């Protein structure tokens, strides 16, 4: 998650160790006072999106922006290194937390406040690349740098298809058929997944009409 990823490793480790029922560690302060309330706002936005979808509508981005500015922004404005240093922690952990928080790019936590189309975290991407990461561990290595780059390019295209609700196999078939004829940047960009969605949907509908109906 963006919020968790932007927190220093030492602070997150403090939540796993030196944890007592009565204690209030640096990590607990971050989780309870800052991260949880922000995600509660996102749950509210999710509920509004579901209500809009039930009416056959999309929740306007302006509504998302307004909620984040009204509720999430004040929370994250308080999320500063100095606001967490007062919480008790074992001396080595506190020292590491102070050092890491001092260098932590807190700006990464607030990008979604001004860009309502952005999610609050990168959980979706993490789930999508899990299969590739698992395979990479099993394969151990690519043969060479060019092979690794080709693999990354193909996975990027497939994930872009998924993000745009395009069937990857149909897209790659179309791409491999038409890419050899593309000689300019404009022609290549025209073959990107989001630019072919209408064409691929039309092809799919045509194939469905041509299928013989079941007796």
């Amino acid at each position: 998650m963006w919020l968790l990823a932007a927190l220093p490793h030492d602070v997150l480790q403090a939540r796993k160790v030196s944890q007592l029922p009565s204690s209030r560690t640096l990590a607990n302060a971050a989780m309870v006072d800052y991260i949880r309330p922000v995600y509660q706002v996102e749950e509210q936005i999710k509920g509004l999106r579901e209500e809009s979808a039930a009416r056959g509508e999309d929740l306007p981005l302006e509504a998302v922006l307004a909620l984040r500015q009204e509720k999430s922004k004040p929370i994250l404005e308080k999320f500063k290194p100095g606001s967490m240093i007062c919480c008790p922690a074992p001396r080595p952990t506190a020292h590491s937390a102070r050092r890491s928080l001092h260098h932590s790019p807190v700006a990464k936590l607030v990008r979604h406040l001004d860009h309502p189309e952005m999610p609050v975290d990168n959980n979706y991407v993490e789930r999508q690349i899990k299969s590739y990461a698992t395979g990479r561990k099993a394969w151990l290595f690519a043969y060479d740098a060019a092979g690794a780059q080709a693999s990354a390019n193909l996975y990027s295209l497939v994930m872009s298809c998924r993000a745009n609700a395009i069937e990857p196999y149909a897209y790659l078939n179309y791409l491999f058929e038409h890419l050899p004829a593309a000689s300019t940047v404009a022609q290549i960009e025209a073959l990107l997944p989001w630019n072919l969605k209408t064409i691929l949907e039309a092809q799919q509908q045509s194939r469905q009409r041509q299928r013989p109906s079941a007796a």
Side-chain angles (χ1 to χ4, degrees), residues 75-88:
I75 297 170
L76 291 175
E77 283 180 342
K78 298 177 182 178
F79 186 79
K80 298 177 181 178
S83 66
M84 296 176 62
I85 299 306
C86 62
C87 304

Side-chain angles (χ1 to χ4, degrees), residues 1-197:
M1 296 184 298
W2 289 121
L3 288 175
L4 293 181
L7 286 175
H9 175 74
D10 296 314
V11 175
L12 296 180
Q13 285 297 105
R15 184 172 174 81
K16 298 178 181 179
V17 299
S18 69
Q19 188 82 306
L20 296 174
S22 59
S23 69
R24 179 171 169 79
T25 64
L26 291 169
N28 262 345
M31 301 291 182
V32 175
D33 294 346
Y34 302 102
I35 295 178
R36 182 184 297 170
V38 168
Y39 273 85
Q40 288 173 343
V41 175
E42 295 304 311
E43 284 296 318
Q44 182 179 353
I45 293 173
K46 179 181 178 182
L48 292 174
R49 284 198 175 110
E50 291 174 350
E51 293 176 3
S52 297
R55 297 192 300 267
E57 304 171 353
D58 293 327
L59 181 66
L61 290 178
E62 292 78 6
V64 177
L65 179 64
L67 272 173
R68 287 176 173 175
Q69 288 286 324
E70 176 188 356
K71 297 186 176 182
S72 297
K73 187 175 181 179
I75 297 170
L76 291 175
E77 283 180 342
K78 298 177 182 178
F79 186 79
K80 298 177 181 178
S83 66
M84 296 176 62
I85 299 306
C86 62
C87 304
R91 185 172 180 178
T93 302
H95 174 74
S96 298
R98 288 186 178 94
R99 173 175 50 80
S100 299
L101 280 170
H102 178 70
H103 296 287
S104 177
V106 178
K108 290 182 179 180
L109 299 173
V110 298
R111 300 285 172 81
H112 69 290
L113 296 180
D114 298 316
H115 300 278
E117 72 280 4
M118 290 180 59
V120 70
D121 55 44
N122 63 343
N123 287 347
Y124 174 80
V125 175
E126 293 284 350
R127 290 194 299 270
Q128 297 303 311
I129 66 175
K130 183 178 180 180
S131 57
Y132 176 63
T134 302
R136 184 177 56 195
K137 184 177 181 180
W139 306 324
L140 296 182
F141 52 84
Y143 181 76
D144 55 23
Q149 183 65 51
S151 177
N153 289 341
L154 284 173
Y155 270 95
S156 178
L157 286 173
V158 170
M159 300 316 298
S160 295
C161 287
R162 291 186 181 180
N164 288 274
I166 297 172
E167 206 286 308
Y169 182 76
Y171 169 77
L172 291 176
N173 273 335
Y174 187 96
L175 177 67
F176 294 148
E177 180 181 352
H178 293 83
L179 185 59
S183 58
T184 66
V185 173
Q187 290 173 336
I188 294 175
E189 289 182 346
L191 295 174
L192 291 173
W194 49 88
N195 292 328
L196 291 178
K197 185 171 183 178

